[in-house]
Amino acid sequence: KIVSPGGNDPKILEDLKQEGDTVAQFNHPNIVTVFACGVVDKNYYLAMEILSGGDLKQKLASGTLDELKTLKIMKEMSSALAHSHKRKTLHRDIKPENIMFNDEGRAVLLDFGIAKAQGKVSEFTRIGAVVGTPHYMSPERALGKEIDERSDLYALGVVMYEMLIGKKLFEGEDTFAISYAHVHEPPPPLPKDKAALQPILDKLLAKSPDDRFQSADQLTVILDKWIRRLERNNSQTTQGFVPITVKSKSSKLIITLLSAIIVAGIAFAAYWYFTKEKIEVENNKLSTEMQFEMSEKLTAANRFRKMGNLKNAENLYKIVLTKYDCNNADARQYLGVLNKKALNEIIAQCKK
């Protein structure tokens, strides 16, 4: 790959080389292998592996993918993003053309051409030489706001929709119309035969980053569970599974009651745990599943706090800090308001 920016600005070429160097440091089966990169005669070059299986856009030109294949590609891409995000690099241009396949059929993410190391803004991206693709742009990016890992996950959700439905999430006459839809319009629902995957898509395509999966690792855990479920049933489709839909008042009531029971159970467990004995911090090394569990408990704690149920919120914040991560900033902040003494006791036991 050779890039010749307009004007051959030395600063742009240097920024391109720095970004290429970042990608060259990745070592992941679902991220393209870069062998060398540099600048020769004011031209930027990138030498990378050959991917003979074509790209996802070409595959979609032949029709939609079944759910199992879609989920497997999604898992490979979420794993790739988890790898780059842990190295503080956002992709910022997730789209079918940038997902290619090797001769074994494995999905590979490439073209980090507008990738950005978090906390650093390159001259190349700042001047607007590359702005990403409007069809896959997150609401916060369309609004010009600061973005993080969750913006990449939104774009991946748009790709998931396209794999399942065969068309783009939002269409429009121009970039403004498409961007407006990403910011304001609800995503079209999946058809009934694929509705079981609606909760995953809803979470990926939430307008607020806080309502999405908070990391690619969280997404990978969910995708892996679905893939194993389909493979156990020797099925390519989720049509045989009961979809989670909320259409009638009765179904809304059932889901509300079930949610209340689950939340009440969590609250009771938290209350029991903190009344039976003194606070003890475990300092666990978190697995991906434990990280997801912690995220769920933080969400429940925040919900209790906003509802004014401060005791349950306090107990859940304590669980987050003692059972999962004693350095969690959100839990520390809110527990400090609710029970400063308990927070100080936890901090005293927390390994720095």
Side-chain angles (χ1 to χ4, degrees):
K1 175 181 177 180
I2 298 175
V3 179
S4 300
N8 288 326
D9 188 319
K11 175 59 178 172
I12 296 177
L13 290 168
E14 179 59 27
D15 286 339
L16 280 166
K17 184 178 183 304
Q18 288 178 5
E19 292 177 354
D21 289 340
T22 298
V23 180
Q25 295 174 23
F26 294 152
N27 181 21
H28 191 278
N30 301 113
I31 295 179
V32 66
T33 299
V34 172
F35 301 111
C37 60
V39 178
V40 175
D41 294 331
K42 296 184 178 181
N43 292 305
Y44 168 80
Y45 72 90
L46 193 68
M48 53 189 175
E49 67 176 304
I50 295 174
L51 298 167
S52 59
D55 62 38
L56 182 57
K57 183 178 181 180
Q58 293 169 328
K59 286 186 181 295
L60 292 176
S62 302
T64 59
L65 304 182
D66 63 56
E67 287 99 308
L68 181 58
K69 183 62 176 175
T70 295
L71 291 170
K72 286 184 175 180
I73 292 173
M74 286 290 294
K75 181 185 173 184
E76 290 174 329
M77 289 300 95
S78 67
S79 178
L81 287 175
H83 186 81
S84 68
H85 291 169
K86 287 172 185 174
R87 285 150 186 79
K88 304 300 181 183
T89 301
L90 310 180
H91 189 283
R92 304 202 303 166
D93 197 21
I94 304 294
K95 58 184 178 181
E97 298 94 309
N98 286 338
I99 300 172
M100 295 193 70
F101 300 89
N102 65 10
D103 53 7
E104 298 174 349
R106 186 178 70 242
V108 178
L109 182 61
L110 69 155
D111 202 352
F112 283 74
I114 61 170
K116 175 186 137 184
Q118 288 176 270
K120 299 172 74 175
V121 180
S122 73
E123 189 72 18
F124 183 58
T125 54
R126 181 167 57 245
I127 66 170
V130 179
V131 296
T133 309
H135 285 103
Y136 306 92
M137 195 173 289
S138 66
E140 61 271 23
R141 190 164 182 209
L143 291 170
K145 295 181 178 180
E146 190 70 24
I147 63 171
D148 57 24
E149 297 95 331
R150 298 168 295 182
S151 183
D152 277 347
L153 296 181
Y154 180 93
L156 189 57
V158 179
V159 172
M160 179 179 177
Y161 180 88
E162 193 167 340
M163 286 191 284
L164 292 170
I165 302 302
K167 61 181 181 181
K168 292 180 173 59
L169 180 67
F170 295 119
E171 293 284 10
E173 295 181 356
D174 52 33
T175 298
F176 176 81
I178 297 170
S179 300
Y180 181 91
H182 279 295
V183 174
H184 298 288
E185 299 294 333
L190 293 174
K192 288 183 179 180
D193 62 332
K194 299 178 180 179
L197 296 179
Q198 191 70 55
I200 297 177
L201 207 56
D202 287 345
K203 198 165 182 67
L204 283 167
L205 297 177
K207 300 300 184 187
S208 169
D210 292 338
D211 294 330
R212 296 177 206 148
F213 293 100
Q214 296 302 290
S215 71
D217 278 333
Q218 285 186 7
L219 174 61
T220 302
V221 169
I222 297 299
L223 294 170
D224 185 59
K225 288 180 178 179
W226 268 104
I227 290 169
R228 285 189 278 114
R229 187 179 180 190
L230 284 171
E231 290 179 337
R232 280 198 307 268
N233 288 274
N234 194 27
S235 175
Q236 305 292 315
T237 175
T238 59
Q239 188 170 1
F241 298 101
V242 178
I244 303 173
T245 55
V246 184
K247 292 187 177 180
S248 65
K249 291 184 179 179
S250 60
S251 61
K252 287 182 180 179
L253 177 60
I254 291 171
I255 291 174
T256 301
L257 289 173
L258 288 174
S259 298
I261 291 170
I262 292 170
V263 171
I266 293 174
F268 176 76
Y271 175 78
W272 176 81
Y273 178 79
F274 283 103
T275 54
K276 71 182 181 69
E277 57 183 67
K278 66 179 182 179
I279 295 175
E280 293 182 359
V281 177
E282 295 188 6
N283 290 299
N284 289 316
K285 183 175 180 180
L286 299 187
S287 65
T288 301
E289 292 231 28
M290 290 178 71
Q291 291 174 3
F292 188 69
E293 290 172 6
M294 181 180 72
S295 176
E296 288 183 320
K297 285 179 171 55
L298 271 175
T299 299
N302 290 335
R303 187 180 300 122
F304 276 130
R305 178 174 52 81
K306 292 175 181 178
M307 291 168 55
N309 195 335
L310 302 183
K311 191 61 182 177
N312 284 338
E314 175 187 332
N315 287 333
L316 285 171
Y317 288 131
K318 287 178 183 175
I319 283 184
V320 169
L321 292 170
T322 58
K323 302 290 287 184
Y324 295 94
D325 179 10
C326 59
N327 289 303
N328 184 274
D330 288 339
R332 279 194 175 197
Q333 175 186 347
Y334 293 121
L335 182 59
V337 174
L338 297 172
N339 190 334
K340 185 68 174 177
K341 180 180 178 181
L343 175 62
N344 289 337
E345 186 177 346
I346 291 171
I347 292 175
Q349 297 184 50
C350 181
K351 291 181 180 179
K352 304 298 183 184

